[in-house]
Amino acid sequence: MKKSLLALSLLGGVVFAQDKPLDPCGSPKEVFSKYLLDQCYKGYFDAIMEAKKNADEAIKLAREANNKVGDLEKRVSSLEKTADDHERRIRALEGRKPEAPQPKTEGVGPYKWQLEEVGTVHFDFNKFNIKKSEAKKLDEIAGKIRESGKEVLVVGFADKRGTSNYNFNLSMWRAQMTASYLAKKGVDIGKIRVAAYGKEVADLLGKDFKAQRAVKIFLVY
């Protein structure tokens, strides 16, 4: 009889416990087992691992965000330096005084050379050798050229008598002979340019044949 009452009492207790929500780690404390305890600890362990996983993910995201922020800060700093540099340049340009306009000058030929005549020597009819009287002129001209340090243009001419081809060659011989004399007097031969014209431009030097048989020497600017 006592065993029957004990069994009924235990059975009633089990029924009473099952009517309430079972918390394997809490009440009712009357009912527990190794299985329930294992479930309780497993739940705690899973919760801890999930929390750790979430924490690690949050830390990872935070680090990535910090890295991105760092990169953005570097880019912003670089842009600020570039802007400051541009601003300094603008201020420097604004502070510059405007240059005075340069006078326009007209030159000769496609390179717009500026020429300054420094002398003329004359020749006998159908000759291209340097006369003694003209050599003294060339000595003075050579001195001026050396002092200037400029390039030199030596231009030969001939009078209107004779053929165009012959007079052009004669003009060139006269110019080359003059250039050679200047080189012997110390003028840098690398700075000497030579040109020649035939009978077609003879009248530019004058109507007299003697004036037309000449070599003109120019400094080149």
mmCIF file with all atom_site columns, all heavy atoms in Angstrom, residues 145-159:
data_model
loop_
_atom_site.group_PDB
_atom_site.id
_atom_site.type_symbol
_atom_site.label_atom_id
_atom_site.label_alt_id
_atom_site.label_comp_id
_atom_site.label_asym_id
_atom_site.label_entity_id
_atom_site.label_seq_id
_atom_site.pdbx_PDB_ins_code
_atom_site.Cartn_x
_atom_site.Cartn_y
_atom_site.Cartn_z
_atom_site.occupancy
_atom_site.B_iso_or_equiv
_atom_site.pdbx_formal_charge
_atom_site.auth_seq_id
_atom_site.auth_comp_id
_atom_site.auth_asym_id
_atom_site.auth_atom_id
_atom_site.pdbx_PDB_model_num
ATOM 1   N N   . ILE A 1 145 ? 83.159 92.771 -85.216  1.00 0.00 ? 145 ILE A N   1
ATOM 2   C CA  . ILE A 1 145 ? 82.453 91.476 -85.153  1.00 0.00 ? 145 ILE A CA  1
ATOM 3   C C   . ILE A 1 145 ? 82.907 90.675 -83.934  1.00 0.00 ? 145 ILE A C   1
ATOM 4   O O   . ILE A 1 145 ? 82.090 90.090 -83.218  1.00 0.00 ? 145 ILE A O   1
ATOM 5   C CB  . ILE A 1 145 ? 82.703 90.683 -86.448  1.00 0.00 ? 145 ILE A CB  1
ATOM 6   C CG1 . ILE A 1 145 ? 82.093 91.426 -87.642  1.00 0.00 ? 145 ILE A CG1 1
ATOM 7   C CG2 . ILE A 1 145 ? 82.109 89.278 -86.327  1.00 0.00 ? 145 ILE A CG2 1
ATOM 8   C CD1 . ILE A 1 145 ? 82.453 90.828 -88.991  1.00 0.00 ? 145 ILE A CD1 1
ATOM 9   N N   . ARG A 1 146 ? 84.210 90.656 -83.685  1.00 0.00 ? 146 ARG A N   1
ATOM 10  C CA  . ARG A 1 146 ? 84.720 89.900 -82.537  1.00 0.00 ? 146 ARG A CA  1
ATOM 11  C C   . ARG A 1 146 ? 84.164 90.464 -81.224  1.00 0.00 ? 146 ARG A C   1
ATOM 12  O O   . ARG A 1 146 ? 83.818 89.713 -80.315  1.00 0.00 ? 146 ARG A O   1
ATOM 13  C CB  . ARG A 1 146 ? 86.253 89.938 -82.521  1.00 0.00 ? 146 ARG A CB  1
ATOM 14  C CG  . ARG A 1 146 ? 86.910 89.145 -83.647  1.00 0.00 ? 146 ARG A CG  1
ATOM 15  C CD  . ARG A 1 146 ? 88.400 88.927 -83.358  1.00 0.00 ? 146 ARG A CD  1
ATOM 16  N NE  . ARG A 1 146 ? 89.089 90.197 -83.133  1.00 0.00 ? 146 ARG A NE  1
ATOM 17  C CZ  . ARG A 1 146 ? 89.669 90.916 -84.077  1.00 0.00 ? 146 ARG A CZ  1
ATOM 18  N NH1 . ARG A 1 146 ? 89.639 90.501 -85.347  1.00 0.00 ? 146 ARG A NH1 1
ATOM 19  N NH2 . ARG A 1 146 ? 90.297 92.045 -83.783  1.00 0.00 ? 146 ARG A NH2 1
ATOM 20  N N   . GLU A 1 147 ? 84.085 91.757 -81.111  1.00 0.00 ? 147 GLU A N   1
ATOM 21  C CA  . GLU A 1 147 ? 83.565 92.392 -79.890  1.00 0.00 ? 147 GLU A CA  1
ATOM 22  C C   . GLU A 1 147 ? 82.078 92.076 -79.687  1.00 0.00 ? 147 GLU A C   1
ATOM 23  O O   . GLU A 1 147 ? 81.621 91.896 -78.562  1.00 0.00 ? 147 GLU A O   1
ATOM 24  C CB  . GLU A 1 147 ? 83.764 93.905 -79.965  1.00 0.00 ? 147 GLU A CB  1
ATOM 25  C CG  . GLU A 1 147 ? 85.217 94.344 -79.859  1.00 0.00 ? 147 GLU A CG  1
ATOM 26  C CD  . GLU A 1 147 ? 85.375 95.842 -79.993  1.00 0.00 ? 147 GLU A CD  1
ATOM 27  O OE1 . GLU A 1 147 ? 84.336 96.533 -80.130  1.00 0.00 ? 147 GLU A OE1 1
ATOM 28  O OE2 . GLU A 1 147 ? 86.524 96.332 -79.970  1.00 0.00 ? 147 GLU A OE2 1
ATOM 29  N N   . SER A 1 148 ? 81.329 92.013 -80.771  1.00 0.00 ? 148 SER A N   1
ATOM 30  C CA  . SER A 1 148 ? 79.886 91.777 -80.652  1.00 0.00 ? 148 SER A CA  1
ATOM 31  C C   . SER A 1 148 ? 79.562 90.336 -80.286  1.00 0.00 ? 148 SER A C   1
ATOM 32  O O   . SER A 1 148 ? 78.589 90.061 -79.570  1.00 0.00 ? 148 SER A O   1
ATOM 33  C CB  . SER A 1 148 ? 79.182 92.129 -81.968  1.00 0.00 ? 148 SER A CB  1
ATOM 34  O OG  . SER A 1 148 ? 79.494 91.175 -82.982  1.00 0.00 ? 148 SER A OG  1
ATOM 35  N N   . GLY A 1 149 ? 80.368 89.394 -80.775  1.00 0.00 ? 149 GLY A N   1
ATOM 36  C CA  . GLY A 1 149 ? 80.080 87.983 -80.545  1.00 0.00 ? 149 GLY A CA  1
ATOM 37  C C   . GLY A 1 149 ? 78.877 87.475 -81.325  1.00 0.00 ? 149 GLY A C   1
ATOM 38  O O   . GLY A 1 149 ? 78.421 86.346 -81.118  1.00 0.00 ? 149 GLY A O   1
ATOM 39  N N   . LYS A 1 150 ? 78.346 88.286 -82.236  1.00 0.00 ? 150 LYS A N   1
ATOM 40  C CA  . LYS A 1 150 ? 77.163 87.907 -83.020  1.00 0.00 ? 150 LYS A CA  1
ATOM 41  C C   . LYS A 1 150 ? 77.543 87.069 -84.240  1.00 0.00 ? 150 LYS A C   1
ATOM 42  O O   . LYS A 1 150 ? 78.709 86.993 -84.637  1.00 0.00 ? 150 LYS A O   1
ATOM 43  C CB  . LYS A 1 150 ? 76.427 89.161 -83.487  1.00 0.00 ? 150 LYS A CB  1
ATOM 44  C CG  . LYS A 1 150 ? 75.985 90.096 -82.378  1.00 0.00 ? 150 LYS A CG  1
ATOM 45  C CD  . LYS A 1 150 ? 74.876 89.481 -81.562  1.00 0.00 ? 150 LYS A CD  1
ATOM 46  C CE  . LYS A 1 150 ? 74.353 90.473 -80.521  1.00 0.00 ? 150 LYS A CE  1
ATOM 47  N NZ  . LYS A 1 150 ? 73.286 89.880 -79.690  1.00 0.00 ? 150 LYS A NZ  1
ATOM 48  N N   . GLU A 1 151 ? 76.529 86.482 -84.846  1.00 0.00 ? 151 GLU A N   1
ATOM 49  C CA  . GLU A 1 151 ? 76.733 85.824 -86.128  1.00 0.00 ? 151 GLU A CA  1
ATOM 50  C C   . GLU A 1 151 ? 76.844 86.897 -87.218  1.00 0.00 ? 151 GLU A C   1
ATOM 51  O O   . GLU A 1 151 ? 76.383 88.033 -87.051  1.00 0.00 ? 151 GLU A O   1
ATOM 52  C CB  . GLU A 1 151 ? 75.568 84.878 -86.437  1.00 0.00 ? 151 GLU A CB  1
ATOM 53  C CG  . GLU A 1 151 ? 75.536 83.655 -85.537  1.00 0.00 ? 151 GLU A CG  1
ATOM 54  C CD  . GLU A 1 151 ? 74.509 82.633 -86.003  1.00 0.00 ? 151 GLU A CD  1
ATOM 55  O OE1 . GLU A 1 151 ? 73.714 82.961 -86.912  1.00 0.00 ? 151 GLU A OE1 1
ATOM 56  O OE2 . GLU A 1 151 ? 74.523 81.508 -85.470  1.00 0.00 ? 151 GLU A OE2 1
ATOM 57  N N   . VAL A 1 152 ? 77.429 86.499 -88.344  1.00 0.00 ? 152 VAL A N   1
ATOM 58  C CA  . VAL A 1 152 ? 77.710 87.452 -89.416  1.00 0.00 ? 152 VAL A CA  1
ATOM 59  C C   . VAL A 1 152 ? 77.125 86.943 -90.726  1.00 0.00 ? 152 VAL A C   1
ATOM 60  O O   . VAL A 1 152 ? 77.210 85.745 -91.036  1.00 0.00 ? 152 VAL A O   1
ATOM 61  C CB  . VAL A 1 152 ? 79.236 87.651 -89.587  1.00 0.00 ? 152 VAL A CB  1
ATOM 62  C CG1 . VAL A 1 152 ? 79.516 88.745 -90.628  1.00 0.00 ? 152 VAL A CG1 1
ATOM 63  C CG2 . VAL A 1 152 ? 79.887 87.995 -88.269  1.00 0.00 ? 152 VAL A CG2 1
ATOM 64  N N   . LEU A 1 153 ? 76.536 87.858 -91.471  1.00 0.00 ? 153 LEU A N   1
ATOM 65  C CA  . LEU A 1 153 ? 76.043 87.537 -92.812  1.00 0.00 ? 153 LEU A CA  1
ATOM 66  C C   . LEU A 1 153 ? 76.879 88.312 -93.814  1.00 0.00 ? 153 LEU A C   1
ATOM 67  O O   . LEU A 1 153 ? 76.930 89.553 -93.784  1.00 0.00 ? 153 LEU A O   1
ATOM 68  C CB  . LEU A 1 153 ? 74.567 87.919 -92.956  1.00 0.00 ? 153 LEU A CB  1
ATOM 69  C CG  . LEU A 1 153 ? 73.949 87.686 -94.345  1.00 0.00 ? 153 LEU A CG  1
ATOM 70  C CD1 . LEU A 1 153 ? 73.994 86.210 -94.711  1.00 0.00 ? 153 LEU A CD1 1
ATOM 71  C CD2 . LEU A 1 153 ? 72.517 88.219 -94.389  1.00 0.00 ? 153 LEU A CD2 1
ATOM 72  N N   . VAL A 1 154 ? 77.545 87.586 -94.727  1.00 0.00 ? 154 VAL A N   1
ATOM 73  C CA  . VAL A 1 154 ? 78.393 88.183 -95.760  1.00 0.00 ? 154 VAL A CA  1
ATOM 74  C C   . VAL A 1 154 ? 77.691 87.979 -97.101  1.00 0.00 ? 154 VAL A C   1
ATOM 75  O O   . VAL A 1 154 ? 77.479 86.842 -97.526  1.00 0.00 ? 154 VAL A O   1
ATOM 76  C CB  . VAL A 1 154 ? 79.789 87.533 -95.766  1.00 0.00 ? 154 VAL A CB  1
ATOM 77  C CG1 . VAL A 1 154 ? 80.649 88.150 -96.862  1.00 0.00 ? 154 VAL A CG1 1
ATOM 78  C CG2 . VAL A 1 154 ? 80.457 87.678 -94.401  1.00 0.00 ? 154 VAL A CG2 1
ATOM 79  N N   . VAL A 1 155 ? 77.341 89.099 -97.778  1.00 0.00 ? 155 VAL A N   1
ATOM 80  C CA  . VAL A 1 155 ? 76.534 89.025 -99.001  1.00 0.00 ? 155 VAL A CA  1
ATOM 81  C C   . VAL A 1 155 ? 77.313 89.634 -100.167 1.00 0.00 ? 155 VAL A C   1
ATOM 82  O O   . VAL A 1 155 ? 77.726 90.801 -100.111 1.00 0.00 ? 155 VAL A O   1
ATOM 83  C CB  . VAL A 1 155 ? 75.192 89.772 -98.827  1.00 0.00 ? 155 VAL A CB  1
ATOM 84  C CG1 . VAL A 1 155 ? 74.314 89.548 -100.058 1.00 0.00 ? 155 VAL A CG1 1
ATOM 85  C CG2 . VAL A 1 155 ? 74.482 89.306 -97.568  1.00 0.00 ? 155 VAL A CG2 1
ATOM 86  N N   . GLY A 1 156 ? 77.486 88.852 -101.229 1.00 0.00 ? 156 GLY A N   1
ATOM 87  C CA  . GLY A 1 156 ? 78.205 89.317 -102.411 1.00 0.00 ? 156 GLY A CA  1
ATOM 88  C C   . GLY A 1 156 ? 77.268 89.818 -103.493 1.00 0.00 ? 156 GLY A C   1
ATOM 89  O O   . GLY A 1 156 ? 76.153 89.306 -103.661 1.00 0.00 ? 156 GLY A O   1
ATOM 90  N N   . PHE A 1 157 ? 77.761 90.823 -104.257 1.00 0.00 ? 157 PHE A N   1
ATOM 91  C CA  . PHE A 1 157 ? 76.990 91.409 -105.355 1.00 0.00 ? 157 PHE A CA  1
ATOM 92  C C   . PHE A 1 157 ? 77.900 91.568 -106.574 1.00 0.00 ? 157 PHE A C   1
ATOM 93  O O   . PHE A 1 157 ? 79.126 91.534 -106.481 1.00 0.00 ? 157 PHE A O   1
ATOM 94  C CB  . PHE A 1 157 ? 76.431 92.783 -104.959 1.00 0.00 ? 157 PHE A CB  1
ATOM 95  C CG  . PHE A 1 157 ? 75.482 92.737 -103.796 1.00 0.00 ? 157 PHE A CG  1
ATOM 96  C CD1 . PHE A 1 157 ? 75.956 92.888 -102.489 1.00 0.00 ? 157 PHE A CD1 1
ATOM 97  C CD2 . PHE A 1 157 ? 74.117 92.560 -103.997 1.00 0.00 ? 157 PHE A CD2 1
ATOM 98  C CE1 . PHE A 1 157 ? 75.087 92.857 -101.418 1.00 0.00 ? 157 PHE A CE1 1
ATOM 99  C CE2 . PHE A 1 157 ? 73.247 92.535 -102.929 1.00 0.00 ? 157 PHE A CE2 1
ATOM 100 C CZ  . PHE A 1 157 ? 73.727 92.674 -101.635 1.00 0.00 ? 157 PHE A CZ  1
ATOM 101 N N   . ALA A 1 158 ? 77.276 91.778 -107.732 1.00 0.00 ? 158 ALA A N   1
ATOM 102 C CA  . ALA A 1 158 ? 78.012 92.025 -108.978 1.00 0.00 ? 158 ALA A CA  1
ATOM 103 C C   . ALA A 1 158 ? 77.266 93.083 -109.784 1.00 0.00 ? 158 ALA A C   1
ATOM 104 O O   . ALA A 1 158 ? 76.076 93.342 -109.546 1.00 0.00 ? 158 ALA A O   1
ATOM 105 C CB  . ALA A 1 158 ? 78.148 90.742 -109.787 1.00 0.00 ? 158 ALA A CB  1
ATOM 106 N N   . ASP A 1 159 ? 77.962 93.696 -110.748 1.00 0.00 ? 159 ASP A N   1
ATOM 107 C CA  . ASP A 1 159 ? 77.276 94.714 -111.556 1.00 0.00 ? 159 ASP A CA  1
ATOM 108 C C   . ASP A 1 159 ? 76.426 94.040 -112.625 1.00 0.00 ? 159 ASP A C   1
ATOM 109 O O   . ASP A 1 159 ? 76.351 92.812 -112.714 1.00 0.00 ? 159 ASP A O   1
ATOM 110 C CB  . ASP A 1 159 ? 78.279 95.704 -112.139 1.00 0.00 ? 159 ASP A CB  1
ATOM 111 C CG  . ASP A 1 159 ? 79.266 95.045 -113.082 1.00 0.00 ? 159 ASP A CG  1
ATOM 112 O OD1 . ASP A 1 159 ? 78.884 94.078 -113.776 1.00 0.00 ? 159 ASP A OD1 1
ATOM 113 O OD2 . ASP A 1 159 ? 80.436 95.480 -113.128 1.00 0.00 ? 159 ASP A OD2 1
#
